[in-house]
Amino acid sequence: MDFLIVTGLSGSGKSKAMEMLEDIDYVCIDNLPPKLLPSLGQIMARSESNAKTAVVIDARSGASYTTLSNSLQELKNMGVVYRLLFIDCEDDVLLKRYNETRRRHPLARKYNNSVKDAIEAERKLLDPLKSQADYVIDTSQMKSRQLKERIAGLFAGSIDNTLQVQCISFGYKYGIPADANLVFDMRCLPNPFYVPELKVKTGLDSAVFDYVMSFESSQEVLKRIDAFIDYSLPLYVKEGKSDIVIAFGCTGGQHRSVTFAEAVYRRLKQKGIRTTVMHRDAERNSSEVKSRGV
């Protein structure tokens, strides 16, 4: 049985997450009243062992959302195993999304149609659930495609292998990924940006990858990062953490961070660890460089 409960901020991307869950054969139920969750859990417990069900419960439930914590505890008391996924997003990004789409926030009427106040109130309402979540995904800097890739990486594999690592490259000028467990700063290494023939390429290009890794300092940093990850991953598992996000940052998220995210991703895959890789800002920054006529 694979029972996934999805919650999070309105406008954060739960609908996109459910689309991907449907694509990987989950039966998806949207906007379930929290009080019905224990009954659904009983049905799930009697289902065939390979059943995959995902249910969204969020602020659209109104005042009854406050009963979700009680319903989750009831599931535990019944012995129903579930996982909780929380989709998060920064307030200013949510506000921008609502302004662009002109959609009504589900709590807006309660707060005199103030989207800003509604977002703040919803976050306060949902924060206790975020602390209980097995997985937290922050979509503030994610494209829809990247969110779907993240969901697929987390839930398309076997539930028996619970440890899932995601390597993310990012640019510091766009902000550190809020859901990162480990962050490594690659700005201490030689920068391909200052090599004319490499400037508009990314760490996905072999020329950039080979350039970054040609330095003794890069090799030493990779060796030390690799050793630290080998040491820390079992400790995360021991503490019950099954979703580890390792982020690698450089100035623009185009060269050094991409190279190291790829290098660590490949090493973890070789060790048999379920691993995915995402380059959050590589395409964006490369496009900006080209648009400036470089």
Side-chain angles (χ1 to χ4, degrees), residues 32-275:
L32 183 78
K35 290 182 179 180
L36 295 182
L37 190 57
S39 298
L40 179 61
Q42 289 180 328
I43 296 173
M44 287 292 300
R46 295 193 295 267
S47 300
E48 55 189 87
S49 59
N50 62 348
K52 297 169 65 176
T53 302
V55 55
V56 174
I57 301 177
D58 56 28
R60 289 173 294 173
S61 303
S64 66
Y65 185 85
T66 57
T67 66
L68 179 55
S69 292
N70 293 334
S71 295
L72 293 176
Q73 185 58 51
E74 193 171 341
L75 287 178
K76 291 180 181 178
N77 295 340
M78 293 160 47
V80 175
V81 178
Y82 66 86
R83 293 183 288 174
L84 182 61
L85 167 63
F86 191 98
I87 310 292
D88 200 3
C89 187
E90 296 172 0
D91 289 6
D92 58 338
V93 177
L94 288 173
L95 187 60
K96 181 180 178 182
R97 290 177 184 176
Y98 273 102
N99 287 338
E100 289 175 348
T101 62
R102 300 192 181 279
R103 291 180 55 202
R104 180 187 292 274
H105 191 284
L107 299 183
R109 288 184 179 177
K110 186 176 179 181
Y111 294 92
N112 297 317
N113 292 319
S114 169
V115 176
K116 183 176 182 295
D117 291 346
I119 291 172
E120 292 176 354
E122 185 180 35
R123 183 172 296 283
K124 187 177 295 186
L125 179 67
L126 270 58
D127 266 351
L129 273 300
K130 181 179 177 180
S131 63
Q132 299 178 38
D134 299 287
Y135 311 95
V136 177
I137 300 177
D138 188 291
T139 66
S140 303
Q141 301 293 334
M142 281 188 181
K143 299 176 182 177
S144 295
R145 170 180 56 81
Q146 292 173 328
L147 173 59
K148 289 186 175 183
E149 289 173 355
R150 178 89 166 104
I151 294 294
L154 283 172
F155 303 111
S158 170
I159 192 172
D160 297 326
N161 184 2
T162 57
L163 178 63
Q164 167 71 44
V165 177
Q166 185 181 44
C167 297
I168 298 179
S169 67
F170 71 94
Y172 274 94
K173 68 180 182 179
Y174 302 117
I176 300 174
D179 52 352
N181 302 105
L182 298 172
V183 179
F184 295 102
D185 188 346
M186 301 295 101
R187 291 175 295 182
C188 59
L189 301 175
N191 191 354
F193 181 84
Y194 298 108
V195 180
E197 61 268 27
L198 302 180
K199 199 167 192 175
V200 298
K201 297 179 183 294
T202 75
L204 295 174
D205 294 292
S206 59
V208 173
F209 188 96
D210 293 343
Y211 175 85
V212 173
M213 300 311 301
S214 68
F215 294 91
E216 184 179 347
S217 57
S218 297
Q219 293 289 340
E220 184 64 24
V221 168
L222 179 59
K223 183 173 73 173
R224 294 181 182 227
I225 288 175
D226 197 37
F228 180 76
I229 291 173
D230 281 347
Y231 180 79
S232 62
L233 284 185
L235 299 179
Y236 279 111
V237 173
K238 185 178 179 180
E239 291 299 314
K241 183 73 174 175
S242 58
D243 175 33
I244 311 299
V245 179
I246 307 175
F248 302 86
C250 62
T251 305
Q254 180 181 346
H255 298 110
R256 295 163 291 180
S257 61
V258 174
T259 297
F260 268 77
E262 282 289 320
V264 172
Y265 162 72
R266 295 172 191 175
R267 290 182 175 223
L268 291 174
K269 290 286 283 187
Q270 289 175 352
K271 295 170 184 175
I273 297 173
R274 287 178 61 209
T275 312

